[in-house]
Amino acid sequence: MNSDIWDRYLTILTADFGVEPYAFDHLNDALAFIHKCDIDKQGKTFLDIGCCNTYLKGKLQSIWVGIELAHTHNPNISQGDIHCLENIQSEFADIVFASHVLEHTLAPIVALFEMKRVMKHNGDMIIVLPVYPGYMYNGHNYMMPAESWIHLFKRVELKIEHRQDNSKNDTVVFHLKNDK
């Protein structure tokens, strides 16, 4: 992709970014789900893709690593694109986490393949998504019902270990594992 198109994409994607009051509710719900799944353990690596901030860092036993598309001055957060996490080695993370990220991507299936690549073979993936016909936002490239996201997970050979629907904020949280 040429740099002008990429720069326009970044401008559009990051134009409305900011921490909104409900964002922490979503992260707290996800954190409770992670603890319910009993996967947060000392010594494990937790890769937070699209982290925006370090909110989860102090709330986990795992070693937290943050990746954000937009440049940040926070030394705890690296810049990276979910479609190509070139600075992250294969099978790096025990837990790969993305909350309200996939619906903003250009190609969610590419992002899922890349997330699976950086997840350890027996690792865990936690994905939080708004689901159609729920919360619509101008920055969403994909707004689909949960069944459509499940179809993508199957295409990437990820199996659902746990699922939690949250009608309060029209989201669903998935705990995924490698299917192969």
Side-chain angles (χ1 to χ4, degrees):
M1 180 179 313
N2 77 38
S3 63
D4 290 340
I5 293 171
W6 181 250
D7 288 343
R8 281 199 336 230
Y9 165 66
L10 286 178
T11 300
I12 291 167
L13 190 62
T14 60
D16 296 324
F17 277 1
V19 178
E20 300 179 30
Y22 68 83
F24 294 116
D25 287 343
H26 289 184
L27 291 176
N28 286 328
D29 290 346
L31 189 61
F33 183 78
I34 288 165
H35 290 140
K36 180 176 143 189
C37 294
D38 196 32
I39 59 174
D40 178 33
K41 306 283 185 204
Q42 213 165 15
K44 284 191 173 187
T45 306
F46 185 99
L47 181 61
D48 189 348
I49 301 173
C51 61
C52 184
N53 57 54
T54 58
Y55 183 75
L56 288 178
K57 183 178 181 185
K59 300 182 180 328
L60 297 165
Q61 294 179 44
S62 302
I63 302 162
W64 183 89
V65 177
I67 301 286
E68 179 58 57
L69 178 65
H71 176 70
T72 175
H73 296 288
N74 188 322
N76 295 305
I77 300 173
S78 299
Q79 189 172 9
D81 178 8
I82 193 171
H83 300 92
C84 180
L85 297 166
E86 59 193 0
N87 295 330
I88 306 288
Q89 67 190 29
S90 295
E91 295 197 34
F92 167 78
D94 297 287
I95 304 164
V96 176
F97 175 79
S99 178
H100 294 269
V101 174
L102 283 176
E103 68 274 15
H104 295 277
T105 63
L106 291 174
I109 197 163
V110 172
L112 284 166
F113 273 115
E114 190 64 355
M115 291 170 70
K116 183 179 175 185
R117 180 189 68 78
V118 301
M119 180 177 73
K120 289 185 178 174
H121 178 69
N122 290 320
D124 300 279
M125 188 180 299
I126 303 291
I127 298 178
V128 183
L129 295 159
V131 289
Y132 182 82
Y135 179 71
M136 294 294 288
Y137 172 66
N138 195 32
H140 290 165
N141 292 325
Y142 293 89
M143 194 61 184
M144 304 187 294
E147 292 72 25
S148 296
W149 289 109
I150 291 168
H151 173 72
L152 288 182
F153 301 152
K154 288 178 183 175
R155 299 281 309 267
V156 179
E157 297 179 332
L158 293 166
K159 67 178 177 179
I160 298 170
E161 291 287 305
H162 302 97
R163 170 184 173 167
Q164 177 175 297
D165 294 273
N166 188 342
S167 59
K168 171 181 76 173
N169 56 17
D170 295 314
T171 61
V172 62
V173 185
F174 292 101
H175 173 205
L176 307 167
K177 301 282 273 184
N178 273 316
D179 199 21
K180 297 279 180 193

